[in-house]
Each structure stands twice: as structure tokens, then as C-alpha cells.
């Protein structure tokens, strides 16, 4: 019986374990230094905010693993002997290293928070937010804190700001761009999210960069910005992105650059060694995709793909239409397909924003055949399968708008906006007269 060892119990590693069990009778071992059991990483913020406990974030009961013959090892891997297919590891709570051999090794070792060598970045009270240990550190580091500074915007930065604000900690965010996350969002959305962040009491400083973090004893005491301004604080969050967690492989035969290099089948340069999830760098990225994509849903697809390759037939990684979702305080965000910050030549864009400034829709489409290529939704929920079908099927912007009701996914009693969106499009595109199709919901009739 083959022994498959999976290093990392995030979404990619656990998906691989589940599908390998589904397809085979192989022995499966999952090793993680982070936690004994798989948990939802995206729920970390809700533990801090008191909405959930850690045990609520575990998608499977603890008996699930034994029942499905998936061995869990809460351990740190100290050394890799790829030639002899052997790992040296130390179990949690012991100092005595042991060895574990494998037939197939899957590396799903995730990411680490970026640090860019700022003076003072290693002081107590300075941290990123990626794993469970970061959450524990944040609990300790933010106790009794009156002011926090978050360096960098993006999705982790906004999560950390929301977490701190629930404890009435004053938050200043330093963002070097002209608008919040404007390397990803087009300017209208970036301005809307920036306004919303300020509505929640966050002191958002744009075009502002960190120069150094100053000390008070061994702990952070403040920050100095590149414009010379100083700010006292007792906590600094470094949220300037993450990088593949590959330091442990630097002196091994495993080929790495920004991440662990893999081919289209998620194979590394070493026989019987695969890599999946955040730690991966694709030698040949799928069309329209980046070599490194640290997204929850791509990690899940990689886990499914590698399981098929190991247990069934060699399977190429195909992530499909790009998708991601997040939350900016009260504004839910979904993105489908390609919606770059700058509209490329040969493409057009349509943007609608509700007067309240918390709900918006962006549609990118080709100039010629008007095929939809990307969708951003803010403050409204769209059905994933419908948006994916429109983009895959190269449906025109007119078709999409006339069928907008098909994608509606908000709960009952939520105000509907399809009519207003279509009306706005027709008003600004005089060569189109789009009629909204489909039957209005009962509550849409009642409330207009």
C-alpha cells in the first residue's frame, strides 16, 4: 500500500487528503505544525471578535479523521531527505526527532507574512496575520492597546482593522497608493471602499509609507512615516501581502523561485513530490493567470487535481474562471473573471453605484462582440455558477443585464437593484435598449 504524506493541513492539503481517501485505499498522513485539526482560516477574525470559538471553525468533527483513516501528526518537519523519501520531524510536546518515510509527498505549506526590513519590525507588538499562532499573538499583543497602526491595505489589512475596531482600539492605516487597494480595484470602487473604511472610524492615510517602527523598551512605541510624521502606538500590524513559505527548502534539491516550481500537473522537479496551494509557483501559468495565486478556492482545486493524478489519471490543473470574495467591514465583495485596475485597450467597462455608496456593480466587456470578461459586485450577492456561465459562454453585456435577475442571490427582503442598473446602462449607452427579463420576485413587487 502506498503511503501519501501531506505537509500542511490548510484547504489544499485537506482537500487532497479527502479526495485521495475517496479514490483509494492508500495510507494517508497529514502533518501540520500549526494546529492538530483543519480549521477555516478565513474565520480567524471572528474568533478574535467573539463571534465564534476555535472549535466552531472546524468543518469536520474530530472523529472524522480516524473514521476516514487519515492520520494526523501535529509536528514540525526538521529535515527533508528527498533521495531516500524520508522526513525528520519533531512531534508537538516532545524534543526527540523521529523519521517518517513516504512513497508520495504533497507539499501544501502555505504562505508567510511579508516583512521588508523596516527598523523595529521585530519588536514585541509587531506582527502579521496569517495563521492560528498569529491570532494568539494578536490576542496578547493588543491587550490594553489604545492605538494601533496597520501598514498596508488589502484584504488582511482590512480584516485586522475591523478586528481591532471591535475592541474600540483606535486604528490608523498607512497605504502608499493614491486610493485604497487601487492596484486591484478601479478608482470608483477604491474610493467607495476608502470612504467606507473611514465611516468605521479608521484613520486611513493614503500616499503614506512607513519609515521605521520605534521602541519603548522592548516593545513598539510608535511609527515614523517617510514624510517625517511620528505617531505613538502600542501595536503595529504588517499587512503588506504574503509570500510562499519556502525558506525550509532553500538548501535542498527542490527547485524554488518565488514559490515551489511546479508544472501543469503540479509536479515539482523531484519524483513523487507535488506542491499545491499558496506555496506554488507555476512554471507555465494557465492563460490569464499569475504564476503565484494565493486564493482559497484555487488551493481547493489543486487538492482535487493532485488527488486525481495520484489515484486515477494524470490530471492538468485547470482553475477555470477567476473568482474571489472578501468583506470590507459591512460591504461584501465578489469578483469574477478579469477586472484589472486599468481597463485594457480593446475593452470597455460599465460601473453602477447606489446613491448610498455601499452597493456597486462593475462589468468589463470586449469592445467588439461585447462579451463579458469580468464582474465586480459590492454589497450585493451574485450566483457563482451564473456569473461563471456568462463569462465562459462569452455572453454579451446586453445579455447579462437582461438576465441579471438570474444571478440575484441576496436573501429575501433585501432591496433589489436590477432595474436601476439596467436603467443606468441604457442612459449612458444610447445605442442599447436593454429590457430586464425574468419574473420579479414577490418581495420585489411589494417593495418596488
Amino acid at each position: 500500500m502506498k503511503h501519501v504524506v501531506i505537509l500542511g493541513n490548510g484547504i489544499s492539503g485537506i482537500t487532497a487528503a479527502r479526495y485521495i481517501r475517496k479514490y483509494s485505499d492508500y495510507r494517508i498522513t497529514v502533518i501540520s505544525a500549526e494546529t492538530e485539526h483543519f480549521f477555516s482560516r478565513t474565520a480567524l477574525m471572528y474568533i478574535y471578535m467573539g463571534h465564534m470559538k476555535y472549535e466552531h471553525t472546524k468543518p469536520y468533527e474530530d472523529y472524522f479523521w480516524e473514521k476516514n483513516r487519515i492520520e494526523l501528526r501535529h509536528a514540525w518537519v526538521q529535515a527533508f531527505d528527498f533521495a531516500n523519501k524520508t522526513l525528520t520531524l519533531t512531534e508537538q510536546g516532545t524534543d526527540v526527532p523521529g523519521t517518517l518515510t513516504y512513497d508520495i509527498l504533497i507539499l501544501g505549506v502555505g504562505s508567510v507574512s511579508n516583512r521588508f526590513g523596516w527598523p523595529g519590525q521585530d519588536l514585541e507588538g509587531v506582527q502579521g496575520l496569517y495563521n492560528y499562532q498569529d491570532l494568539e499573538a494578536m490576542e496578547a499583543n493588543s491587550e490594553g492597546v489604545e492605538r494601533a497602526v496597520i501598514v498596508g491595505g488589502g484584504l488582511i489589512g482590512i480584516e485586522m482593522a475591523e478586528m481591532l475596531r471591535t475592541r474600540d482600539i483606535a486604528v490608523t492605516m498607512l497605504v502608499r497608493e493614491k486610493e485604497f487597494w487601487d492596484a486591484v480595484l478601479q478608482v470608483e470602487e477604491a474610493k467607495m471602499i476608502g470612504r467606507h473604511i473611514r465611516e468605521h472610524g479608521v484613520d486611513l492615510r493614503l500616499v503614506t509609507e512607513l519609515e521605521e517602527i520605534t521602541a519603548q523598551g522592548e516593545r513598539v512605541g510608535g511609527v515614523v512615516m517617510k514624510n517625517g510624521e511620528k505617531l505613538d502606538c502600542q501595536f503595529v500590524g504588517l499587512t503588506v501581502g504574503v509570500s510562499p513559505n519556502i525558506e525550509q527548502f532553500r538548501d535542498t534539491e527542490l527547485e524554488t523561485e518565488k514559490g515551489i516550481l511546479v508544472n501543469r500537473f503540479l509536479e515539482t522537479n523531484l519524483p513523487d513530490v507535488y506542491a499545491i496551494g499558496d506555496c506554488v509557483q507555476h512554471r507555465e501559468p494557465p492563460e490569464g493567470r499569475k504564476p503565484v495565486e494565493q486564493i482559497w478556492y484555487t488551493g481547493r482545486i489543486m487538492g482535487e487535481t493532485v488527488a486525481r493524478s495520484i489515484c486515477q489519471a494524470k490530471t492538468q490543473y485547470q482553475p477555470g474562471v477567476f473568482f474571489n470574495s472578501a468583506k470590507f467591514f459591512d460591504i461584501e465583495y465578489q469578483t469574477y473573471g478579469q477586472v484589472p485596475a486599468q481597463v485594457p485597450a480593446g475593452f470597455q467597462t460599465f460601473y453602477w453605484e447606489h446613491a448610498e455608496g455601499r452597493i456597486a456593480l462593475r462589468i468589463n466587456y470586449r469592445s467588439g462582440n461585447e462579451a463579458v470578461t469580468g464582474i465586480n459586485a459590492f454589497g450585493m450577492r451574485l450566483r457563482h455558477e451564473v456569473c461563471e456561465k456568462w463569462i465562459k459562454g462569452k455572453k454579451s453585456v446586453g445579455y447579462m443585464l437582461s438576465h441579471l435577475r438570474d444571478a440575484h442571490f441576496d436573501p429575501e427582503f433585501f432591496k433589489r437593484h436590477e432595474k436601476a442598473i439596467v436603467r443606468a446602462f441604457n442612459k449612458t449607452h444610447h445605442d442599447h435598449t436593454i429590457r430586464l427579463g425574468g419574473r420579479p420576485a414577490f418581495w420585489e413587487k411589494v417593495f418596488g
Side-chain angles (χ1 to χ4, degrees):
M1 181 191 300
K2 286 184 179 178
H3 183 199
V4 181
V5 172
I6 301 168
L7 190 52
N9 71 348
I11 184 63
S12 56
I14 291 303
T15 302
R18 287 177 49 242
Y19 276 82
I20 291 169
R21 172 54 63 241
K22 180 178 177 181
Y23 297 143
S24 78
D25 200 34
Y26 295 161
R27 179 186 171 194
I28 303 168
T29 302
V30 178
I31 303 171
S32 171
E34 185 179 7
T35 55
E36 183 178 359
H37 296 103
F38 171 55
F39 70 100
S40 172
R41 196 174 303 281
T42 54
L44 281 178
M45 65 182 295
Y46 300 107
I47 300 174
Y48 183 91
M49 295 193 299
H51 300 173
M52 305 174 80
K53 294 181 178 178
Y54 166 68
E55 51 265 34
H56 300 151
T57 68
K58 293 190 284 189
Y60 305 103
E61 298 291 344
D62 291 352
Y63 65 79
F64 171 88
W65 309 102
E66 184 176 352
K67 180 182 177 184
N68 287 280
R69 292 173 289 121
I70 298 173
E71 300 170 33
L72 303 181
R73 305 282 291 268
H74 193 189
W76 286 259
V77 174
Q78 310 290 347
F80 297 86
D81 181 353
F82 291 115
N84 293 301
K85 295 189 172 183
T86 302
L87 307 176
T88 301
L89 66 165
T90 302
E91 302 283 348
Q92 170 80 357
T94 70
D95 295 325
V96 182
T99 59
L100 183 71
T101 58
Y102 61 85
D103 296 297
I104 296 170
L105 178 64
I106 301 174
L107 302 171
V109 292
S111 296
V112 292
S113 299
N114 285 335
R115 295 183 177 223
F116 293 107
W118 289 292
Q121 68 177 17
D122 296 321
L123 288 166
E124 291 179 18
V126 181
Q127 66 164 99
L129 179 62
Y130 178 78
N131 55 32
Y132 189 76
Q133 282 70 34
D134 291 334
L135 176 71
E136 292 182 315
M138 192 167 166
E139 280 286 356
N141 286 332
S142 62
E143 187 175 356
V145 164
E146 294 182 356
R147 174 168 290 281
V149 170
I150 297 174
V151 181
L155 301 180
I156 297 177
I158 198 70
E159 281 187 3
M160 187 178 270
E162 184 174 355
M163 293 161 72
L164 293 165
R165 290 299 297 140
T166 61
R167 298 193 181 184
D168 292 328
I169 297 171
V171 174
T172 296
M173 292 187 76
L174 310 184
V175 175
R176 70 176 181 176
E177 288 80 16
K178 291 181 180 177
E179 301 292 345
F180 181 81
W181 216 30
D182 67 2
V184 176
L185 301 177
Q186 294 188 28
V187 65
E188 292 89 347
E189 294 101 309
K191 285 180 179 292
M192 179 181 73
I193 298 302
R195 289 195 304 271
H196 188 62
I197 291 170
R198 290 188 171 106
E199 287 171 359
H200 281 270
V202 175
D203 174 22
L204 176 62
R205 309 278 186 98
L206 300 173
V207 199
T208 305
E209 292 188 61
L210 176 69
E211 178 68 25
E212 67 171 295
I213 301 166
T214 56
Q216 188 168 28
E218 294 183 351
R219 189 178 169 84
V220 55
V223 297
V224 180
M225 293 163 249
K226 285 197 172 179
N227 60 11
E229 185 180 355
K230 298 178 181 177
L231 192 64
D232 292 337
C233 65
Q234 302 83 43
F235 177 92
V236 172
L238 299 178
T239 61
V240 284
V242 295
S243 299
N245 180 21
I246 57 173
E247 189 59 36
Q248 59 202 306
F249 305 114
R250 288 293 182 199
D251 297 322
T252 72
E253 311 94 294
L254 187 69
E255 288 185 359
T256 62
E257 286 181 356
K258 292 180 179 177
I260 300 172
L261 289 163
V262 297
N263 62 16
R264 291 175 294 172
F265 304 97
L266 305 172
E267 297 168 318
T268 70
N269 64 303
L270 301 176
D272 298 321
V273 179
Y274 297 81
I276 55 177
D278 286 10
C279 63
V280 157
Q281 178 182 351
H282 298 278
R283 294 179 191 271
E284 301 173 74
E287 185 179 358
R289 310 301 286 260
K290 297 176 181 176
V292 178
E293 276 191 342
Q294 291 148 327
I295 303 172
W296 183 90
Y297 93 97
T298 56
R300 188 190 61 191
I301 295 173
M302 287 188 211
E304 293 179 19
T305 302
V306 79
R308 288 195 190 95
S309 286
I310 290 170
C311 303
Q312 296 182 327
K314 197 168 178 176
T315 304
Q316 185 170 320
Y317 169 61
Q318 294 179 315
V321 173
F322 181 87
F323 165 71
N324 200 8
S325 64
K327 191 167 75 70
F328 303 99
F329 283 96
D330 302 329
I331 298 178
E332 293 187 27
Y333 162 61
Q334 295 173 296
T335 185
Y336 300 91
Q338 301 302 316
V339 194
Q342 303 294 326
V343 182
F347 289 77
Q348 297 185 54
T349 190
F350 165 69
Y351 179 72
W352 172 86
E353 183 177 313
H354 190 274
E356 293 177 357
R358 294 184 179 185
I359 303 169
L361 181 71
R362 161 93 55 196
I363 307 169
N364 275 14
Y365 56 98
R366 295 185 184 279
S367 298
N369 59 8
E370 298 192 338
V372 172
T373 56
I375 304 164
N376 275 351
F378 297 84
M380 66 170 75
R381 293 180 184 176
L382 303 180
R383 292 186 185 279
H384 188 151
E385 66 275 15
V386 174
C387 293
E388 187 174 78
K389 187 172 68 176
W390 286 337
I391 294 171
K392 268 187 177 176
K394 300 181 180 178
K395 298 296 185 184
S396 70
V397 64
Y399 179 93
M400 174 185 161
L401 288 170
S402 65
H403 290 77
L404 202 51
R405 283 193 175 111
D406 296 347
H408 178 82
F409 194 52
D410 278 328
E412 283 185 340
F413 307 119
F414 270 57
K415 193 170 182 180
R416 307 287 292 261
H417 304 287
E418 291 93 342
K419 287 181 181 176
I421 293 168
V422 170
R423 197 160 50 235
F425 186 87
N426 286 336
K427 189 175 180 180
T428 53
H429 296 74
H430 301 296
D431 52 338
H432 291 72
T433 304
I434 294 169
R435 296 183 184 279
L436 183 63
R439 298 178 61 184
F442 172 73
W443 291 110
E444 187 182 355
K445 293 177 183 175
V446 173
F447 295 109

